[in-house]
Amino acid sequence: MAKDTLKTLRNKVIYEIYVRNHGSNGTFLDIMDDLERIKELGADIIWLMPIHPIGQKNKKGTLGCPYSIKDYKAINEEYGTLKDFMELIEKVHALDMKIMIDVVYNHTSHDADYLKEHPEYYYRNADGSTGNKIADWDDIIDLDYANKDLWEEQIIALEYWTKLGVDGFRCDVAPMVPMEFWSQARERIRSINPGSILLAESVHPHFIEWVRNQGFYMASDSETYEAFDICYDYDTHGELHKYLSGDIELESLLIKKRMQEHIYPENYVKLRFLENHDQPRIASLIKSEKLLKMWTAFMFFEKGATLLYAGQEAKDQKCPSLFDKDLINWNDLNEEFCDFIKQLGAIKKEAIFAEGCYKIHHTPKKDVILATYVDQEQWVIGIFNIGLKSGEFKLVSHEEGYFDLPSIQDGNYVNRYTSEEIKVVNQMIQLIDEPILFHIKIK
């Protein structure tokens, strides 16, 4: 993917769906019925969690985990037929969205077709048995990428789905599979679809260290960018949870986020999220409606693609089970919050959020985030009052060594989030309990 095109991924909103739990029937048809609403929410890319048949041997729960896959080139009949899936692809494309599917290439189920046809594809313990390299995940067994024949089989599967019209792949625990493999896979699928997107589920820093200390391969985020367009934001997500639980100050989280600007490639794209299928629902951690709105606005403002996990817009507090039928609670889907998300999604698509120079500034207030985008003379300023405290906020403070904003002309500006007027007087702005975003031009 060309460098300039890669940056435009920062304008995108990805909507994650677990087919089993999204609608009353748990099928592709349910997703099709909901696509127009999802599109209106601001989604550009639909990400379907694994759609393949689920292994039954040693399965978890009543229905098994979708990440325990039996056949990489088949459809889980719970969800519908291949014809249904093709119709879903067509409708997604008709609405000018893209569709990506989950691929789980580190491991398979215990009754996978590969185990019957190619037992040599599997990692073996000292006694010759199948198993896991670094964790006791009893419903799955690891593959062995020392076998190059496995590489070819896996790439053929990716080519198969790409030819059917799939626009990209979210790759489960991607850093545990060699980047050389992913680079070869990328080249092959992009010969079919040059715009195919690769999203890596990169992992928490402590997990990278732990796996390496066990003597096994694990790529860092910097290495993962060699093959992938987007990486998870797990290098800062742990700090977010620590801040929300009161264990650290906000500045500790922001230090980690600022580091991303110099440790990753210039055109890096992070997946910004507050929740996903492996993490608690953000509404279960943030009970305040105002605070939830503030963090949601900051998530969209950050440099990178934005992830919405289905049900997040309904402020669902329960993370659905991966192993059973456990429907999303859509009862609290309210128009006001959805309209706010639509507004955030529309702002996200402005060019400056892809091309602008991004910075999270130091501020004298402990619970206020000040971040900016700069593109030539155009500035976008975002202020997120995480503490929900009132008072004046000094926008320019060179002499105190805080941030290097230009001298902002006193006057009236429009808060893009609320459409209300905000005033700058003597380089001061009044903090409110809503997020603030306004534009300035420097001549």
Side-chain angles (χ1 to χ4, degrees), residues 224-335:
T224 303
Y225 277 120
E226 294 175 10
F228 285 85
D229 305 309
I230 311 173
C231 288
Y232 267 42
D233 195 19
Y234 274 149
D235 49 326
T236 73
H237 193 69
E239 275 68 28
L240 171 63
H241 279 215
K242 289 176 185 177
Y243 172 73
L244 294 178
S245 63
D247 294 332
I248 62 172
E249 298 288 334
L250 178 64
E251 182 62 14
S252 296
L253 167 62
L254 300 185
I255 286 171
K256 284 290 187 76
K257 289 189 176 293
R258 292 189 195 103
M259 286 176 60
Q260 293 177 335
E261 292 303 302
H262 61 260
I263 64 175
Y264 297 133
E266 184 272 335
N267 61 341
Y268 83 93
V269 183
K270 275 286 180 179
L271 184 68
R272 307 298 184 178
F273 55 87
L274 294 175
E275 62 180 61
N276 60 52
H277 68 268
D278 285 321
Q279 299 298 321
R281 289 286 196 182
I282 194 62
S284 71
L285 303 177
I286 300 176
K287 303 297 185 180
S288 162
E289 297 273 339
K290 292 284 188 182
L291 199 53
L292 182 61
K293 192 174 178 182
M294 197 75 70
W295 278 107
T296 303
F298 180 60
M299 174 185 70
F300 273 84
F301 189 89
E302 284 195 272
K303 185 166 79 175
T306 299
L307 176 69
L308 288 173
Y309 180 33
Q312 186 172 346
E313 69 270 39
K315 294 179 278 192
D316 193 0
Q317 296 189 27
K318 178 175 63 67
C319 199
S321 168
L322 291 181
F323 318 128
D324 305 284
K325 186 83 169 177
D326 190 10
L327 297 180
I328 293 170
N329 178 11
W330 294 108
N331 294 332
D332 293 328
L333 191 65
N334 69 77
E335 188 174 340

Side-chain angles (χ1 to χ4, degrees), residues 116-138:
K116 303 170 190 173
E117 299 165 4
H118 296 285
E120 70 276 13
Y121 286 175
Y122 285 83
Y123 165 78
R124 299 286 172 170
N125 296 312
D127 64 0
S129 62
T130 57
N132 313 127
K133 292 187 285 289
I134 50 85
D136 185 20
W137 295 327
D138 56 13

Side-chain angles (χ1 to χ4, degrees), residues 151-425:
W151 292 31
E152 182 63 19
E153 287 287 343
Q154 298 290 62
I155 292 173
I156 287 172
L158 295 176
E159 289 176 321
Y160 169 75
W161 295 108
T162 303
K163 289 173 182 175
L164 287 181
V166 170
D167 300 294
F169 303 93
R170 180 269 187 187
C171 303
D172 191 64
V173 288
M176 295 186 72
V177 175
M179 285 304 116
E180 185 183 353
F181 163 79
W182 290 121
S183 294
Q184 287 188 23
R186 179 185 63 186
E187 184 176 348
R188 292 266 291 273
I189 62 177
R190 286 195 176 153
S191 68
I192 301 167
N193 176 4
S196 187
I197 301 165
L198 285 180
L199 163 61
E201 184 204 18
S202 47
V203 297
H204 292 85
H206 64 83
F207 190 54
I208 296 174
E209 283 189 67
W210 186 80
V211 171
R212 288 176 172 177
N213 287 339
Q214 308 308 306
F216 295 106
Y217 172 85
M218 176 69 85
S220 67
D221 281 23
S222 294
E223 293 169 309
T224 303
Y225 277 120
E226 294 175 10
F228 285 85
D229 305 309
I230 311 173
C231 288
Y232 267 42
D233 195 19
Y234 274 149
D235 49 326
T236 73
H237 193 69
E239 275 68 28
L240 171 63
H241 279 215
K242 289 176 185 177
Y243 172 73
L244 294 178
S245 63
D247 294 332
I248 62 172
E249 298 288 334
L250 178 64
E251 182 62 14
S252 296
L253 167 62
L254 300 185
I255 286 171
K256 284 290 187 76
K257 289 189 176 293
R258 292 189 195 103
M259 286 176 60
Q260 293 177 335
E261 292 303 302
H262 61 260
I263 64 175
Y264 297 133
E266 184 272 335
N267 61 341
Y268 83 93
V269 183
K270 275 286 180 179
L271 184 68
R272 307 298 184 178
F273 55 87
L274 294 175
E275 62 180 61
N276 60 52
H277 68 268
D278 285 321
Q279 299 298 321
R281 289 286 196 182
I282 194 62
S284 71
L285 303 177
I286 300 176
K287 303 297 185 180
S288 162
E289 297 273 339
K290 292 284 188 182
L291 199 53
L292 182 61
K293 192 174 178 182
M294 197 75 70
W295 278 107
T296 303
F298 180 60
M299 174 185 70
F300 273 84
F301 189 89
E302 284 195 272
K303 185 166 79 175
T306 299
L307 176 69
L308 288 173
Y309 180 33
Q312 186 172 346
E313 69 270 39
K315 294 179 278 192
D316 193 0
Q317 296 189 27
K318 178 175 63 67
C319 199
S321 168
L322 291 181
F323 318 128
D324 305 284
K325 186 83 169 177
D326 190 10
L327 297 180
I328 293 170
N329 178 11
W330 294 108
N331 294 332
D332 293 328
L333 191 65
N334 69 77
E335 188 174 340
E336 182 180 355
F337 190 61
C338 287
D339 285 346
F340 182 62
I341 290 177
K342 292 174 188 177
Q343 181 185 26
L344 297 176
I347 293 172
K348 183 78 175 175
K349 291 168 179 53
E350 296 173 8
I352 195 169
F353 292 97
E355 300 293 340
C357 179
Y358 179 64
K359 184 169 184 176
I360 301 175
H361 298 264
H362 296 273
T363 78
K365 288 189 178 291
K366 290 184 176 180
D367 291 312
V368 177
I369 301 173
L370 171 67
T372 58
Y373 287 89
V374 183
D375 188 9
Q376 300 180 28
E377 77 281 2
Q378 178 75 29
W379 286 67
V380 174
I381 299 175
I383 302 172
F384 305 91
N385 181 12
I386 301 302
L388 298 180
K389 296 175 183 176
S390 60
E392 288 191 320
F393 182 70
K394 195 170 186 180
L395 285 169
V396 180
S397 188
H398 294 288
E399 69 280 2
E400 297 174 27
Y402 282 108
F403 37 84
D404 51 2
L405 288 177
S407 183
I408 299 173
Q409 184 177 353
D410 285 0
N412 298 333
Y413 298 84
V414 175
N415 182 0
R416 295 284 304 282
Y417 292 135
T418 64
S419 299
E420 296 177 350
E421 188 177 81
I422 52 175
K423 294 183 178 182
V424 175
V425 180

Side-chain angles (χ1 to χ4, degrees), residues 3-20:
K3 183 177 180 181
D4 291 341
T5 305
L6 183 59
K7 281 188 176 182
T8 63
L9 290 174
R10 296 173 183 163
N11 294 127
K12 305 303 183 186
V13 176
I14 301 174
Y15 190 88
E16 178 188 3
I17 297 175
Y18 186 12
V19 179
R20 177 189 287 168

